[in-house]
C-alpha cells in the first residue's frame, strides 16, 4: 500500500490513500437518512461496502465514516484505514465468509500497523504515548496500543526483517 500510494511521510493521510486506491470516501452526514441509519447500525465509526455502479457497470468500494463534530480527526483516520484494511484484505469479496471477529482483528491490525509501524516508531525514537500521538497523529487510546505492540516487537528480535527494511527505505529511514 505504501508503495502503490507513493507514501513517504508520517503522519499518513487516510483520505489521500483511499483516493489513490480509487475508493469512495463518504461522510455519514452526506448520506440519505435511511443509508445513514443503516451505517450507524453497522458501526458508529464507519463501514465499507462493495457496490455495483449502474452507470459504469463497474464495482466500486465505498467507505462511510462518522463525521460528527465530537469525533477526533485521528479517530476518523483510523476508521478509514480500518476500512481500507477490510478492502485490501479481501473481507468484502473473497474472504467474506471469515468470522466477523477475525475480520475485525485483521482490519484493526492493518490500520494500526499502517498508521504507526513498529520499525518507524523505533526510527523516530518515540519513548511514550505523547511522542506517538505527535509523530503519527494517532489518538491517545491508539498510542497506548501502538506502544504496547512496539514493546512486544522489540522483544522479538533486535534486527529488522527484509520487509521492515524495505518499509523504512520508503520513508528514507534505512
Amino acid at each position: 500500500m505504501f508503495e502503490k500510494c507513493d507514501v513517504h511521510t508520517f503522519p499518513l493521510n487516510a483520505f489521500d490513500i483511499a483516493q489513490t486506491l480509487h475508493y469512495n470516501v463518504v461522510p455519514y452526514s452526506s448520506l440519505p437518512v435511511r443509508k445513514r441509519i443503516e451505517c450507524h447500525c453497522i458501526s458508529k465509526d464507519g463501514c465499507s461496502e462493495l457496490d455495483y455502479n449502474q452507470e459504469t457497470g463497474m464495482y466500486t468500494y465505498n467507505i462511510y465514516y462518522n463525521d460528527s463534530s465530537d469525533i477526533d480527526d485521528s479517530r476518523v483516520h483510523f476508521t478509514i484505514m480500518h476500512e481500507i484494511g477490510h478492502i485490501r484484505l479481501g473481507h468484502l469479496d473473497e474472504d467474506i465468509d471469515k468470522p466477523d471477529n477475525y475480520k475485525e482483528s485483521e482490519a484493526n491490525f492493518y490500520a494500526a500497523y499502517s498508521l504507526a509501524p513498529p520499525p518507524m516508531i523505533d526510527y523516530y525514537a518515540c519513548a511514550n504515548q505523547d511522542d506517538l500521538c505527535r509523530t503519527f497523529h494517532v489518538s491517545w487510546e491508539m498510542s497506548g496500543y501502538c506502544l504496547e505492540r512496539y514493546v512486544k516487537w522489540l522483544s522479538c528480535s533486535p534486527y529488522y526483517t527484509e520487509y521492515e527494511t524495505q518499509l523504512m527505505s520508503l520513508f528514507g529511514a534505512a
Side-chain angles (χ1 to χ4, degrees), residues 4-157:
K4 183 175 182 128
C5 295
D6 199 27
V7 175
H8 302 283
T9 59
F10 285 101
L12 298 184
N13 185 316
F15 290 94
D16 290 346
I17 290 171
Q19 181 179 13
T20 301
L21 295 170
H22 305 288
Y23 303 155
N24 300 316
V25 179
V26 183
Y28 279 7
S29 64
S30 73
L31 296 171
V33 174
R34 183 182 299 261
K35 182 69 173 182
R36 189 178 322 154
I37 291 169
E38 178 187 329
C39 288
H40 262 287
C41 287
I42 293 169
S43 171
K44 70 176 182 61
D45 295 316
C47 58
S48 52
E49 69 178 357
L50 179 60
D51 188 35
Y52 181 73
N53 184 322
Q54 295 281 91
E55 293 174 20
T56 65
M58 306 274 295
Y59 285 92
T60 58
Y61 290 106
N62 296 325
I63 296 173
Y64 305 105
Y65 70 96
N66 191 338
D67 60 328
S68 297
S69 60
D70 62 336
I71 297 179
D72 186 65
D73 187 46
S74 61
R75 179 65 195 178
V76 170
H77 281 270
F78 178 86
T79 298
I80 292 169
M81 288 306 299
H82 175 95
E83 296 307 323
I84 289 171
H86 279 304
I87 295 166
R88 299 209 27 107
L89 295 167
H91 297 164
L92 303 184
D93 0 76
E94 64 265 9
D95 284 344
I96 198 164
D97 293 330
K98 278 185 179 177
D100 286 343
N101 62 341
Y102 185 83
K103 291 188 287 192
E104 288 304 306
S105 292
E106 280 189 333
N108 280 337
F109 183 85
Y110 185 95
Y113 195 96
S114 296
L115 291 168
M120 297 308 296
I121 294 171
D122 194 51
Y123 175 76
Y124 289 119
C126 295
N128 54 47
Q129 286 182 260
D130 287 327
D131 290 346
L132 283 161
C133 289
R134 198 172 27 262
T135 303
F136 297 100
H137 189 62
V138 294
S139 69
W140 181 258
E141 180 182 8
M142 171 134 164
S143 70
Y145 295 129
C146 290
L147 196 58
E148 185 179 311
R149 190 180 70 249
Y150 171 65
V151 169
K152 288 178 185 175
W153 174 84
L154 278 177
S155 69
C156 289
S157 172

